[in-house]
C-alpha cells in the first residue's frame, strides 16, 4: 500500500517510515500539513496516518494572525480528515499527547470504542497512539488497527 505519514516530530516520522517500509509498504513521510494536502490532491495514497497536534502554518493567515498563531500547536488532525476524506481510502489520526495534559487529546477519548467512523466514504480511526519502547509512535500498530475497521 502507498501510505502518507504526516507528523511534525522527526523521530515519529523516521520510526514510522521504518516500521511501515519493513512491512512492505511505500511510505511518504512529511512534517507539514499543507504539503500533505497537496500530495493527497495529486492522488495515489491508499492510507493517510496523521498526527493530531501540529504547529500552525501561515497558509492564508493575515500578517497579525501569523504573528499570533504560526508555530502554535493546533488540532489539525480533525480538519485534515475532512479535507482528505474521499481522496484516501482510510485515515487514522493518532496522538501521543497524554489526555490529562491537553483538551484535544482528552477529546480523543470520545472516539474510543467499537464505533466505525466513515467520512465521505473513507474509513476513519481516531486514537491515542500505542508507543514503542523508544518513545516513538507505533505507526505499524495504528495501521493494523485501521485496517481491522470495516
Amino acid at each position: 500500500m502507498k501510505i502518507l505519514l504526516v507528523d511534525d516530530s522527526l523521530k515519529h516520522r523516521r520510526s514510522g517510515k521504518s516500521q511501515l517500509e519493513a512491512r512492505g509498504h511505500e511510505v511518504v513521510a512529511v512534517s507539514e500539513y499543507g504539503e500533505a494536502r497537496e500530495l493527497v490532491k495529486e492522488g495515489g495514497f491508499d492510507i493517510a496516518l496523521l498526527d493530531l497536534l501540529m504547529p500552525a502554518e501561515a497558509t492564508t493567515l493575515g500578517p497579525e494572525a501569523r504573528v499570533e498563531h504560526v508555530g502554535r500547536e493546533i488540532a489539525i488532525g480533525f480538519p485534515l480528515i475532512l479535507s482528505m476524506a474521499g481522496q484516501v481510502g482510510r485515515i487514522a489520526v493518532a496522538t501521543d499527547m497524554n489526555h490529562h495534559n491537553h483538551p484535544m487529546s482528552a477529546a480523543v477519548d470520545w472516539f474510543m470504542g467499537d464505533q466505525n467512523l466513515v467520512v465521505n466514504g473513507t474509513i476513519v480511526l481516531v486514537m491515542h497512539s500505542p508507543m514503542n519502547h523508544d518513545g516513538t509512535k507505533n505507526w505499524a500498530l495504528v495501521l493494523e488497527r485501521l485496517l481491522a475497521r470495516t
Side-chain angles (χ1 to χ4, degrees), residues 92-129:
V93 174
T95 183
D96 63 332
M97 178 69 66
N98 183 315
H99 68 156
H100 296 293
N101 296 338
H102 196 287
M104 226 358 94
S105 182
V108 170
D109 289 345
W110 302 348
F111 299 94
M112 306 302 276
D114 295 331
Q115 77 272 18
N116 287 324
L117 301 174
V118 179
V119 179
N120 198 22
T122 296
I123 295 172
V124 175
L125 173 64
V126 178
M127 66 184 290
H128 294 284
S129 182

Side-chain angles (χ1 to χ4, degrees), residues 19 23 129-132 136-143:
Q19 294 165 38
R23 286 161 177 79
S129 182
M131 303 301 287
N132 294 310
T136 58
K137 290 179 182 174
N138 188 330
W139 284 111
L141 190 51
V142 172
L143 177 62

Side-chain angles (χ1 to χ4, degrees), residues 25-116:
H25 302 293
E26 178 184 350
V27 181
V28 176
V30 298
S31 62
E32 297 179 348
Y33 58 84
E35 180 181 7
R37 290 189 66 230
E38 290 303 315
L39 288 169
V40 166
K41 285 179 189 174
E42 293 172 14
F45 290 99
D46 303 298
I47 303 281
L49 302 176
L50 314 173
D51 187 15
L52 173 65
L53 301 169
M54 294 180 62
E57 298 173 15
T59 58
T60 59
L61 296 175
E64 289 179 20
R66 285 186 182 149
V67 170
E68 183 176 348
H69 296 290
V70 170
R72 187 173 135 207
E73 200 167 64
I74 60 172
I76 197 65
F78 291 126
L80 278 176
I81 290 170
L82 299 174
S83 71
M84 293 180 177
Q87 299 175 72
V88 177
R90 292 175 186 253
I91 300 172
V93 174
T95 183
D96 63 332
M97 178 69 66
N98 183 315
H99 68 156
H100 296 293
N101 296 338
H102 196 287
M104 226 358 94
S105 182
V108 170
D109 289 345
W110 302 348
F111 299 94
M112 306 302 276
D114 295 331
Q115 77 272 18
N116 287 324

